[in-house]
Amino acid sequence: MIPRATYRLQFHPGFTLDDARRIVPYLADLGVSHIYCSPLAEARSGSTHGYDVTDPARISACLGGEEALRALAGDLAACGMGLILDIVPNHMAASPENPWWADVLRHGKASDYARFFDIDWSRHDRRILLPVLGAPLEEALAAGDIAVYDTDGGPVLRLYGEQDYPLAPGTGGEGDCAAILAQQHYRLAWWRRGHDELNWRRFFSISELVGLRIEDEAVFDAVHSLPLRLYREGVIDGLRIDHIDGLTDPAAYLKTLRKRLEAAGRDDGPAWLVVEKILAADETLPADWPVDGTTGYDFMEEVSLLLHAPDAGDILGQDWSRLSGRPADFEHEERLARRQLLQWEFGSQFDACVDAVAALAQRTPATARHSRAAWGRAVEALLIAFPAYRTYGTGSSAPPEDARTRAEAARDLPALAPPGEAALGHAILGWLAGDGPAAEHAAEFVQRFQQLSAPIAAKAVEDTAFYRNGRLISRNDVGFAPARFSAPPDAFHEWQEARAAHWPRSMLTTATHDHKRGEDVRARLFAISEVAEEWTGLSTGWRQAWPQADRIDPGDLAMLLQAVVGAWPDEAAELPHYAERLRGYAVKILREAKLRSSWTAPDEAYEKIVTDAVEGLVSSEEASALRAEIGDFLESIRPAERVKRLAQLFLRLTCPGIPDTYQGTELADGSLVDPDNRRAVDFAVRQRIMKEAGDEKLGLLRDLLHLRARHPAAFEGGYQRISSEPDCLAFARGTGAQRLVMVTALRSKAGSPRDWVKGVIGSEAKSLIGPTLPCAIFAM
């Protein structure tokens, strides 16, 4: 069953399946057709997100278990609604709480589950490296942080008095800890050695998450037994696939999954299947993937480009470069971060990739003459130049969509490869394409390269460079390409026409559990782009007036100021809580940037200077005049902010695709990066406001959701651009009697939407939504 509109809920011990049951009437009244659930499988104790799965075959007991899930599904069905489930086929928790992983730790390669995980058994004497110690092994032993304890289940290895690890059979008897450790199928290590010595694939650079070999049929069956059964029994209507780019062969995986879903024999239409996929600029999904589309980061990027002022990029870029001393050119930051992260956090995975290509090169004389080191430099150059998360070759073939990615990488190779070595990079690109010498043996290398390029892109771009480039931080979000600042309406039309033609059931979103800034924070920054000259002048003065600002790096201060102003609450009563939120945000952005602090080597003294300054700006008497100036500025841009906020919502609900509303964002979304964007939602407040018709954004959302329900043929139809006045956008959906014309302002604009598309709308036509809005829908 294809949803009409979804509503994303984040489940955790503080918000369970029973809690979701209580808001079903509200969501039905709002007008969504499906709840879109975060992962519900059993996860690590205390998990707040569910992506650290420990048992994919069971619904989490702390969320209520399968009984509660079925009760929720029943409540939804009674309202004509359904469920979409988020699943995690790429990785699991690398924790003894995970029974599969614990069995591998206990039995090593002889475990029935050894094949489940992506482990290189050729290294570390066929032992699994566990980088879980807070100090080198010798120091941890000397400090008594490692001990053997007898439990009801037998002897265990206990770390720091609380973390129990299994022991190999027959090894828990007499003897000192060092001797017992030497008999295990794993090797305890200082956490800092994980980046360089790990012999198993992890999720990005997170050693708490171990990669699955989902290409193995037994692994696929074990991981998908629960969601396939729930779909077959009508409990869920579709799936969201987490991090599809982590898998060995996404196309093969998706074809298997689609086939299994079709085998369920349901007669209410196909399962809705969307993938979490970061598309690079001008990248498209492979046409042979049997999915309905992506989870919507690409749409979020398209709306962002449309709503930024086209002339602001250069103004803001020059200001950023002047004040920070860093380049405005995002490509420079990206490539520097790629090189650094490859060296800092992916040493072991890089070495395995180079080993694979060097072994492949030995198979033919033309490639065997180059050293392993030379092949390593070629791999590094390509990973720095790679313009997308990954390609999708198998070693013997590659989809046609990969050609653009390979061509762009080839174009940039000469500038990154050492003199005379670009040819090695071209040879690698040939293997990625399924060509080249000894291509029949290229599968292992291609797999390793593609499973390395994706995490490098994620960690270097989204989790590093995004926090180093502050031209305007609304252009730095998941799935965005900050090198571009804006795009004209014609480009937006082309993107929607393509989606209508090829992926009409793709998800549309403007807020997620992974966004860096909430949709309305971005909307305010969109509005700031309209007054870029004014902003650069005012923000310069504000930074100078900011208490303690002289002790903070100018770039850090500028990026913080954008976030502070972007998320500034409308109500003064919220400021004390806002100060606490900003303290956490400030620490995170400093550590993600990895310039003056980091997660691995935090500079807590500098962090305190920054967080004290942030709190002082929000709450100190000394900064009261500055706060008043910020308030006056926000009041001056409020009309532009309103247009941007409502246009973003309007486009999400009217463009081709399935709109998703992230929990709580029916009211103003002033959230920042996680965990701030995963705070508890007060649904009672939202229900009251909806009943009272007391909020313009919530009212428009409800009206549009109900309009979609009343006019399904129009919203399932194509997309036709309509000529309009400057600073607005118009298009039609549906055909004949079902045709609807959509019009929205993109900037503050005089007149009514009817006047912006002269000759298209009759003088007597009335908008199907509120008459005072900067957007309208007309029935034709």
Side-chain angles (χ1 to χ4, degrees):
M1 179 186 295
I2 306 301
R4 183 179 66 251
T6 60
Y7 190 97
R8 170 75 178 205
L9 288 176
Q10 295 293 116
F11 288 92
H12 50 81
F15 186 85
T16 67
L17 293 161
D18 284 341
D19 293 319
R21 293 183 66 189
R22 285 188 274 275
I23 64 169
V24 168
Y26 163 69
L27 295 178
D29 191 9
L30 184 63
V32 300
S33 67
H34 285 71
I35 287 178
Y36 161 36
C37 304
S38 62
L40 299 178
E42 200 69 64
R44 289 190 68 172
S45 300
S47 176
T48 59
H49 51 76
Y51 290 97
D52 44 359
V53 175
T54 57
D55 186 349
R58 288 194 303 130
I59 298 297
S60 171
C62 71
L63 300 182
E66 189 168 329
E67 181 179 356
L69 175 63
R70 289 180 177 275
L72 172 60
D75 291 350
L76 290 167
C79 296
M81 300 166 68
L83 282 169
I84 304 298
L85 181 62
D86 189 346
I87 64 170
V88 192
N90 177 69
H91 54 267
M92 294 181 72
S95 162
E97 289 185 66
N98 176 349
W100 299 353
W101 184 243
D103 197 75
V104 177
L105 297 181
R106 181 177 292 108
H107 298 289
K109 196 173 182 180
S111 167
D112 291 341
Y113 299 100
R115 63 192 283 192
F116 279 43
F117 302 104
D118 200 349
I119 301 168
D120 182 356
W121 292 101
S122 68
R123 301 175 62 194
H124 301 307
D125 299 322
R126 298 162 64 92
R127 300 166 72 196
I128 300 168
L129 185 80
L130 292 184
V132 295
L133 299 178
L137 176 61
E138 296 77 11
E139 294 180 20
L141 285 169
D145 293 330
I146 305 172
V148 176
Y149 278 80
D150 285 323
T151 69
D152 292 342
V156 297
L157 193 72
R158 184 163 295 171
L159 307 186
Y160 304 102
E162 59 183 15
Q163 303 169 28
D164 287 353
Y165 285 79
L167 294 171
T171 66
E174 299 296 324
D176 62 18
C177 275
I180 292 173
L181 283 175
Q183 302 175 64
Q184 302 312 309
H185 295 289
Y186 52 86
R187 184 163 70 87
L188 297 181
W190 187 23
W191 66 268
R192 287 188 177 275
R193 302 187 71 160
H195 294 328
D196 298 320
E197 299 180 12
L198 208 66
N199 61 335
W200 41 274
R201 182 174 61 86
R202 56 189 175 173
F203 173 69
F204 294 170
S205 57
I206 302 173
S207 297
E208 289 78 23
L209 298 172
V210 56
L212 284 163
R213 296 183 62 253
I214 208 70
E215 65 273 17
D216 185 305
E217 185 177 359
V219 182
F220 183 99
D221 290 345
V223 170
H224 294 83
S225 62
L226 174 66
L228 288 173
R229 176 171 61 80
L230 293 174
Y231 177 72
R232 186 172 59 250
E233 295 172 0
V235 179
I236 62 173
D237 291 326
L239 298 170
R240 180 257 199 195
I241 309 303
D242 183 63
H243 189 45
I244 191 70
D245 278 346
L247 309 187
T248 297
D249 187 348
Y253 164 81
L254 291 168
K255 289 171 185 175
T256 300
L257 180 57
R258 177 62 80 182
K259 184 177 180 181
R260 299 290 183 88
L261 289 166
E262 290 173 348
R266 284 179 50 169
D267 58 6
D268 56 351
W272 192 52
L273 186 59
V274 291
V275 293
E276 185 196 28
K277 163 64 188 164
I278 305 294
L279 291 169
D282 302 318
E283 183 186 10
T284 60
L285 277 181
D288 67 340
W289 284 14
V291 299
D292 292 290
T294 71
T295 52
Y297 299 137
D298 44 320
F299 179 77
M300 192 163 92
E301 160 74 326
E302 293 161 7
V303 172
S304 172
L305 288 166
L306 177 69
L307 293 177
H308 278 87
D311 298 330
D314 289 343
I315 297 168
L316 296 168
Q318 291 167 12
D319 186 59
W320 166 253
S321 185
R322 176 190 57 79
L323 70 90
S324 69
R326 301 188 70 83
D329 176 20
F330 186 78
E331 183 180 273
H332 173 90
E333 293 287 17
E334 176 179 345
R335 289 188 172 178
L336 175 61
R338 281 175 174 269
R339 189 182 300 276
Q340 290 174 335
L341 270 291
L342 185 58
Q343 295 171 352
W344 296 349
E345 297 188 3
F346 292 92
S348 62
Q349 203 169 339
F350 176 75
D351 287 343
C353 185
V354 176
D355 287 343
V357 73
L360 175 60
Q362 289 299 309
R363 292 183 174 274
T364 56
T367 52
R369 61 185 176 179
H370 297 288
S371 67
R372 180 189 183 280
W375 286 109
R377 291 190 292 271
V379 170
E380 180 179 3
L382 272 180
L383 289 170
I384 293 169
F386 227 60
Y389 257 52
R390 62 169 285 177
T391 50
Y392 298 96
T394 62
S396 58
S397 64
E401 292 86 357
D402 281 0
R404 179 193 291 269
T405 299
R406 295 194 306 270
E408 290 185 26
R411 180 197 64 200
D412 292 342
L413 260 179
L416 294 167
E421 293 188 9
L424 279 71
H426 288 292
I428 290 173
L429 291 172
W431 283 318
L432 293 177
D435 298 325
E440 66 275 15
H441 300 287
E444 180 184 353
F445 164 67
V446 169
Q447 172 187 337
R448 289 190 180 279
F449 183 90
Q450 293 176 157
Q451 288 183 306
L452 176 56
S453 68
I456 287 293
K459 294 301 295 181
V461 179
E462 295 167 22
D463 291 346
T464 304
F466 276 6
Y467 295 94
R468 295 178 175 182
N469 183 277
R471 176 169 61 167
L472 193 64
I473 59 175
S474 48
R475 287 298 303 129
N476 302 355
D477 220 305
V478 180
F480 287 16
R484 298 189 293 186
F485 189 77
S486 65
D490 281 349
F492 187 82
H493 283 311
E494 290 175 7
W495 294 325
Q496 305 321 305
E497 288 164 350
R499 185 174 289 107
H502 303 293
W503 306 102
R505 298 184 296 201
S506 190
M507 182 183 284
L508 309 180
T509 190
T510 50
T512 77
H513 63 286
D514 281 331
H515 66 231
K516 307 296 186 186
R517 278 153 288 279
E519 62 185 24
D520 295 316
V521 177
R522 293 197 312 276
R524 180 174 288 170
L525 294 170
F526 299 163
I528 286 175
S529 76
E530 300 287 352
V531 291
E533 290 278 13
E534 181 184 2
W535 168 259
T536 58
L538 286 173
S539 61
T540 297
W542 293 344
R543 290 192 301 273
Q544 293 170 350
W546 192 335
Q548 305 182 56
D550 58 335
R551 304 176 66 193
I552 302 173
D553 176 85
D556 293 341
L557 197 68
M559 294 184 76
L560 269 171
L561 182 61
Q562 290 181 37
V564 168
V565 174
W568 195 271
D570 292 331
E571 302 296 331
E574 298 178 33
L575 285 175
H577 179 53
Y578 185 49
E580 186 60 33
R581 289 171 53 207
L582 285 174
R583 291 182 71 92
Y585 174 78
V587 170
K588 178 157 187 173
I589 67 169
L590 293 173
R591 294 184 180 183
E592 295 284 37
K594 306 169 188 69
L595 295 173
R596 280 154 292 277
S597 191
S598 67
W599 296 108
T600 55
D603 184 340
E604 295 181 355
Y606 180 69
E607 290 174 356
K608 187 175 189 306
I609 291 170
V610 174
T611 55
D612 285 352
V614 168
E615 186 164 351
L617 172 63
V618 174
S619 59
S620 73
E621 181 62 30
E622 183 182 2
S624 59
L626 179 51
R627 289 195 297 274
E629 287 187 32
I630 291 173
D632 291 343
F633 171 73
L634 291 177
E635 190 62 33
S636 74
I637 66 168
R638 196 169 300 280
E641 180 185 344
R642 172 177 178 259
V643 169
K644 303 288 187 182
R645 179 181 295 187
L646 296 178
Q648 183 173 235
L649 171 61
F650 181 83
L651 292 170
R652 172 163 53 89
L653 271 291
T654 57
C655 284
I658 309 299
D660 176 60
T661 299
Y662 181 64
Q663 61 174 31
T665 60
E666 55 270 46
L667 295 181
D669 176 17
S671 65
L672 297 165
V673 72
D674 68 275
D676 193 65
N677 58 13
R678 303 175 189 180
R679 287 173 291 141
V681 176
D682 191 334
F683 287 104
V685 166
R686 283 156 177 78
Q687 292 177 65
R688 176 179 55 78
I689 291 174
M690 186 167 70
K691 184 179 296 185
E692 297 170 353
D695 183 81
E696 186 176 48
K697 182 185 179 186
L698 193 157
L700 177 58
L701 173 63
R702 184 178 184 276
D703 287 349
L704 290 171
L705 286 169
H706 282 265
L707 193 69
R708 291 180 68 93
R710 294 196 303 272
H711 298 269
F715 288 98
E716 292 168 6
Y719 180 98
Q720 306 91 39
R721 67 177 77 187
I722 291 176
S723 178
S724 62
E725 290 187 357
D727 299 331
C728 65
L729 189 87
F731 55 92
R733 303 290 314 278
T735 58
Q738 296 296 326
R739 191 168 187 253
L740 298 179
V741 172
M742 325 288 181
V743 187
T744 183
L746 303 178
R747 293 168 185 84
S748 296
K749 187 172 176 63
S752 69
R754 181 191 297 105
D755 300 329
W756 304 337
V757 284
K758 295 186 185 303
V760 176
I761 309 299
S763 60
E764 301 301 318
K766 293 184 178 180
S767 175
L768 301 179
I769 55 178
T772 63
L773 294 166
C775 50
I777 298 179
F778 300 98
M780 302 301 290

